[in-house]
Amino acid sequence: MRLLAAALSCFAALAPPCLAADAPVRVLIVGTYHFGNPGRDQHNVESDDVLKPERQAQLAAIDAALAKFAPTRVAVEWPKEIVDERYAKFLAGTLEPSRNEVVQLGFRAAKTAKLDHVDGIDAEGEFPYEPVDTWATKHGMKARLDAAGAETEKRVAAITKQQAEGTIGETLRAMNRPESIAADAAWYADLLRYGAGDEQPGAELLAAWGKRNLLICARLVQAAKPGDRVLVFYGAGHAHLLRQCVGEVPGFELVEPNAYL
């Protein structure tokens, strides 16, 4: 009877400790820029060639630092099918040289941790920016939207400059400071200004962006087991929502990346 009463009390209170009695899953999310310069984002960092010997030495130093986190899982920004195929080739030494951060950071970290598997947790999603731009132009808010974009471009240019003049590790530390993550997130939140009544292009963009990040987070949560230490490498634009999601899931604990980078 005491056990039943305790269980009912726990259920009624919906207390997270009751829902997460197992060892917590600790998650360290490293927000990155795209090493291979794919040019697919709204604003893009221009990366130096990470296959240069000096850049490979910097990546090795990052890998050694993150290895202290002792990850039991590594998750990356590629779909599962691609990760499964390419990580097997990476371990076998048959993967073609790649500048992609999934390989240079994620696969490298998984190999160092002696993991035979990497979690590909990426999810498809839309980013309907054009309706926001159209609405802003029509309603006299184009200057504000362009100014917000210019500020973002300045931050991206600063990252480009920092990694060109410094190390990859220094750049990642700067990008993963809480204030840097918050500044990136502010651009998204300001999109709620763009719309009126039943026409809400800003909210629609945020809904699409939020859905993609929740799908990514769901894949992460579903892959992890109690006691896991999950090292995640993802584009820095996702960092705010992924950190928020992980931090709110019962049984999961967020670890600050700059404690290791």
Side-chain angles (χ1 to χ4, degrees):
M1 290 297 293
R2 289 180 180 176
L3 289 175
L4 177 59
L8 290 174
S9 173
C10 170
F11 178 76
L14 292 179
C18 297
L19 300 176
D22 294 312
V25 176
R26 292 181 172 85
V27 182
L28 191 159
I29 300 171
V30 179
T32 73
Y33 58 97
H34 295 305
F35 291 177
N37 294 314
R40 296 174 186 163
D41 294 332
Q42 196 78 16
H43 304 276
N44 297 278
V45 172
E46 295 179 16
S47 174
D48 189 30
D49 187 357
V50 296
L51 296 183
K52 291 179 179 179
E54 60 268 29
R55 296 302 190 183
Q56 286 293 298
Q58 293 167 17
L59 288 164
I62 293 169
D63 186 57
L66 290 173
K68 296 175 183 177
F69 175 63
T72 60
R73 306 190 78 94
V74 171
V76 297
E77 191 177 354
W78 273 353
K80 178 183 184 303
E81 296 76 13
I82 294 176
V83 170
D84 289 348
E85 175 192 356
R86 295 184 186 177
Y87 186 56
K89 291 181 178 179
F90 180 82
L91 290 179
T94 60
L95 185 67
E96 291 291 324
S98 173
R99 293 171 174 81
N100 195 288
E101 65 279 1
V102 168
V103 175
Q104 292 296 327
L105 291 172
F107 286 7
R108 189 192 298 256
K111 183 178 180 180
T112 296
K114 296 180 170 55
L115 303 180
D116 59 8
H117 173 77
V118 171
D119 294 306
I121 59 173
D122 198 26
E124 292 292 332
E126 297 180 355
F127 195 82
Y129 181 79
E130 290 76 11
V132 177
D133 187 78
T134 299
W135 195 94
T137 301
K138 183 178 177 181
H139 293 85
M141 294 184 67
K142 178 66 170 171
R144 182 187 181 93
L145 185 63
D146 288 347
E151 285 300 313
T152 300
E153 193 61 43
K154 285 181 183 178
R155 291 197 299 275
V156 169
I159 295 170
T160 295
K161 184 175 186 292
Q162 182 163 33
Q163 63 87 38
E165 298 176 352
T167 69
I168 299 172
E170 290 167 348
T171 305
L172 293 181
R173 282 195 293 275
M175 293 176 69
N176 283 278
R177 294 185 185 121
E179 58 268 29
S180 297
I181 295 170
D184 288 340
W187 182 87
Y188 291 98
D190 196 61
L191 291 175
L192 290 173
R193 299 178 185 273
Y194 298 87
D198 293 333
E199 187 180 5
Q200 296 288 347
E204 293 290 347
L205 188 154
L206 286 176
W209 181 241
K211 179 180 178 180
R212 182 185 173 197
N213 282 278
L214 284 173
L215 289 171
I216 294 165
C217 188
R219 286 163 167 77
L220 169 61
V221 170
Q222 292 156 14
K225 301 295 185 291
D228 269 340
R229 300 173 65 84
V230 188
L231 178 56
V232 182
F233 296 100
Y234 235 86
H238 298 268
H240 174 73
L241 289 182
L242 292 183
R243 285 165 58 94
Q244 181 182 50
C245 178
V246 167
E248 293 176 351
V249 176
F252 280 66
E253 293 181 3
L254 194 64
V255 178
E256 287 298 324
N258 283 356
Y260 291 89
L261 283 171

